Amino acid sequence: MPGFELFGDAERKEVNDVLESGVLMRYGFDGARNGHWKAKELEQELQTTLGVKHAQLTSSGTTALNVALAVLGVGAGDEVIMPTFTFVASFESILAAGATPILVDIDDTLTLDPKAVEAAITPKTKVVMPVHMCGSMADLDALKAICDAHNLILLEDACQAIGGSYKGKKLGTIGDAGCFSFDYVKTITCGEGGAMITNDPNLAVNADHYTDHGHDHIGNDRGAEAHPFLGYNFRISELNAAVGLAQVRRLEDFVSLQRKHKKILKDALATIPEVSFRRIPDEDGDSAGFLSFFMPTKELTDKVVVAFKEHGVDAYWNYFENNWHYIRKWHHLKEKTSLFPLSDQIINGMQDLNTTDFSQSDDFISRNISCLIKLSWTQAEVQERAGKMVAAIRSVL
Ligand SMILES: *Cc1c(COP(=O)(O)O)cnc(C)c1O
C-alpha cells in the first residue's frame, strides 16, 4: 500500500517546480509562482480520477474528516455512528466537531455491520460513518438504504481504500461526502495531507472557505476577503501537494500492482481449508491494499502470528492487540481523558465503552490477520512470501 515505496523522479520533478519558485503556499503570490498551482492541480486530478465534482485538499485525513463533519452541519448533540475497528481519527474528528461518537460492531467485512447500525439509531443520530478498512469496502447498498430510510448523512472514510470502487463507483463518491488521507503510509502520499470529496456544490464551497479561516476567496486580495462564517486553517502546502500530484497520476498503476500481488498470496492461502477470507461486498472494486483473512479460533490465530515471525513473514497485523485501530486499547476514549472539559452532551451522550458488549467485533478481530500488500515487491518475492505464509499456517494446524 505505501506510495512512498515508489517515490521517484516524477515526485522530485513536481517538488522542484515549487522549490524553484519558492512559493510554498497554495493561495496568492500569483506573479511569483511561475504558473505552478500544485494544490489546485491535485484537486482537479482527484476529481477526474475519482469521477467526482469537487475535491478539497486538507492538511491530513483527520482534518478532512473535521471539514466534512463541519460542512455537513454536524455539531453539539448530534450522534455519529462509527465502527469499533477503524483509526483513532474517527472519534477524534467527531469529538472535535463537538458531536458524540457512537461505536457499533463490525461484521465479517471488517467494516460497519448494517444490523448494528440500525440498532444504534436514535432521534439524535445524524451521520453514519463507514470506514473502508484495509483496502476494501463496507456494504454500501445496505448502509445507504438505512441512511435513506432514516434521513441520515452517509460519510465515507476511504482513507485506506483510495482507488477502490463499489458497483462501478469510486469509494468516497457514494456517500454525501468522502474522505482520503495522504499521510506517509497511505497508497498515495503527500508526506502529510488529505482530501474531502463531494458532488454537492454547497458543501464544496463551504469546505473551500472552512479550510482557510472562512475566507470567501473572492477577488485577488487575501487581506480584503470576507468571512461569511467561522473557519480554521486546514490548508495543505504546495510542497506536500506537489508530491501527491505525481502520486495520484500513478494511482491506477499502484492499484493494479496491489491486485496482482494480492491475488498471488490469496490463491496460495485459499489452498488451506481452515483459512477463510474477509467478505468483500464488491470483489472487483477491492483496492487490494491488504489481504485480510480469518482463522477458525483466536488460539490458532495467535499461533499463526508467532509462526509468521518464525518463518520470516513481516508486515501483518492482528488488530486485537493494536493501540491505534481497535477499541480494546482505546483507554483514553473509554475514560474520556481530555486536556480540556468535554461538553455535557458528550459526557452524558456517549456509551459506557468499558461495559458495552462488542463481543461480535472481538470475535472477528481476534481471528483476523491483515497483511499489507507492498508495491515494491518483485514477482519472485511475492511467490516466496506466499510459500512462507502457507508453510507458517500449516505448521500450526
Ligand atoms: C490514516 C487514516 C485516517 C487519518 O489520516 P491522517 O492523514 O493520518 O490524519 C483516517 N481514517 C483512517 C481509516 C485512516 O487509516
Side-chain angles (χ1 to χ4, degrees):
M1 172 163 98
F4 75 72
E5 291 179 276
L6 301 184
F7 185 98
D9 290 343
E11 287 75 9
R12 272 187 284 276
K13 188 231 159 249
E14 296 299 327
V15 174
N16 273 332
D17 285 348
V18 179
L19 292 178
E20 275 159 24
S21 76
V23 178
L24 310 184
M25 187 182 184
R26 70 164 297 178
Y27 297 116
F29 305 94
D30 299 27
R33 57 196 312 141
N34 298 339
H36 294 307
W37 300 88
K38 299 303 179 186
K40 220 173 264 183
E41 273 186 75
L42 174 51
E43 285 170 348
Q44 279 156 7
E45 198 81 35
L46 282 168
Q47 285 158 203
T48 320
T49 307
L50 300 172
V52 70
K53 291 206 180 94
H54 309 280
Q56 175 64 52
L57 285 174
T58 58
S59 51
S60 71
T62 308
T63 57
L65 290 166
N66 289 160
V67 172
L69 290 168
V71 300
L72 289 163
V74 179
D78 293 330
E79 293 182 353
V80 180
I81 293 178
M82 58 164 276
T84 51
F85 175 52
T86 173
F87 179 57
V88 290
S90 300
F91 59 79
E92 288 170 352
S93 60
I94 297 166
L95 291 169
T100 308
I102 300 294
L103 278 73
V104 311
D105 273 325
I106 54 148
D107 60 17
D108 59 345
T109 64
L110 295 179
T111 66
L112 279 181
D113 174 3
K115 287 191 297 297
V117 169
E118 193 130 46
I121 292 172
T122 74
K124 290 181 182 156
T125 308
K126 187 141 177 185
V127 179
V128 176
M129 194 201 276
V131 183
H132 305 310
M133 281 299 279
C134 302
S136 55
M137 77 296 296
D139 184 346
L140 286 165
D141 276 350
L143 294 173
K144 192 148 181 25
I146 292 170
C147 288
D148 290 346
H150 296 268
N151 198 22
L152 303 174
I153 294 163
L154 183 63
L155 171 58
E156 296 175 74
D157 178 341
C159 289
Q160 291 195 8
I162 192 162
S165 60
Y166 179 72
K167 301 192 176 174
K169 285 185 182 165
K170 292 286 188 210
L171 296 178
T173 67
I174 293 140
D176 298 276
C179 292
F180 296 98
S181 163
F182 307 125
D183 79 20
Y184 193 53
V185 296
K186 295 304 203 289
T187 305
I188 286 178
T189 185
C190 288
E192 298 284 359
M196 186 209 94
I197 61 168
T198 183
N199 283 311
D200 182 327
N202 293 320
L203 297 184
V205 166
N206 286 344
D208 167 83
H209 299 2
Y210 188 74
T211 48
D212 190 22
H213 304 291
H215 275 260
D216 66 5
H217 294 157
I218 294 172
N220 50 15
D221 177 0
R222 268 182 74 76
E225 289 172 7
H227 305 109
F229 50 77
L230 296 167
Y232 273 103
N233 176 4
F234 291 138
R235 296 188 303 259
I236 193 166
S237 86
E238 283 287 276
L239 283 172
N240 294 99
V243 180
L245 184 57
Q247 290 248 305
V248 76
R249 292 177 178 144
R250 307 171 71 190
L251 177 62
E252 239 178 84
D253 292 343
F254 287 2
V255 171
S256 7
L257 266 177
Q258 287 178 171
R259 288 178 175 158
K260 193 172 107 196
H261 292 168
K262 177 170 175 173
K263 185 172 178 342
I264 294 169
L265 299 181
K266 190 169 179 181
D267 287 350
L269 263 60
T271 61
I272 307 173
E274 287 85 353
V275 169
S276 62
F277 296 99
R278 162 216 201 145
R279 180 163 60 87
I280 299 179
D282 178 5
E283 288 275 358
D284 293 340
D286 182 13
S287 84
F290 286 79
L291 170 64
S292 299
F293 64 94
F294 301 107
M295 293 303 292
T297 62
K298 178 178 183 339
E299 288 65 35
L300 275 175
T301 313
D302 292 344
K303 286 185 185 167
V304 171
V305 167
V306 174
F308 271 4
K309 207 166 286 167
E310 288 167 357
H311 285 74
V313 178
D314 63 358
Y316 59 91
W317 291 270
N318 170 244
Y319 289 106
F320 200 61
E321 300 295 338
N322 185 284
N323 286 348
W324 291 86
H325 292 286
Y326 188 54
I327 185 172
R328 271 187 81 236
K329 297 283 183 78
W330 292 340
H331 303 299
H332 57 328
L333 178 68
K334 292 182 189 180
E335 302 307 326
K336 306 184 186 82
T337 311
S338 172
L339 288 177
F340 52 84
L342 297 171
S343 73
D344 288 346
Q345 280 144 319
I346 291 174
I347 298 284
N348 303 325
M350 271 178 67
Q351 302 140 294
D352 180 350
L353 292 173
N354 287 303
T355 56
T356 310
D357 176 16
F358 292 120
S359 50
Q360 177 177 316
S361 301
D362 283 348
D363 176 52
F364 287 114
I365 293 296
S366 66
R367 295 187 297 107
N368 170 250
I369 295 177
S370 288
C371 306
L372 186 66
I373 304 295
K374 290 199 183 168
L375 297 169
S376 57
W377 287 333
T378 63
Q379 181 93 358
E381 281 169 336
V382 189
Q383 299 286 4
E384 190 192 336
R385 191 179 183 81
K388 285 181 186 169
M389 288 170 76
V390 168
I393 298 171
R394 289 205 189 281
S395 76
V396 307
L397 294 174

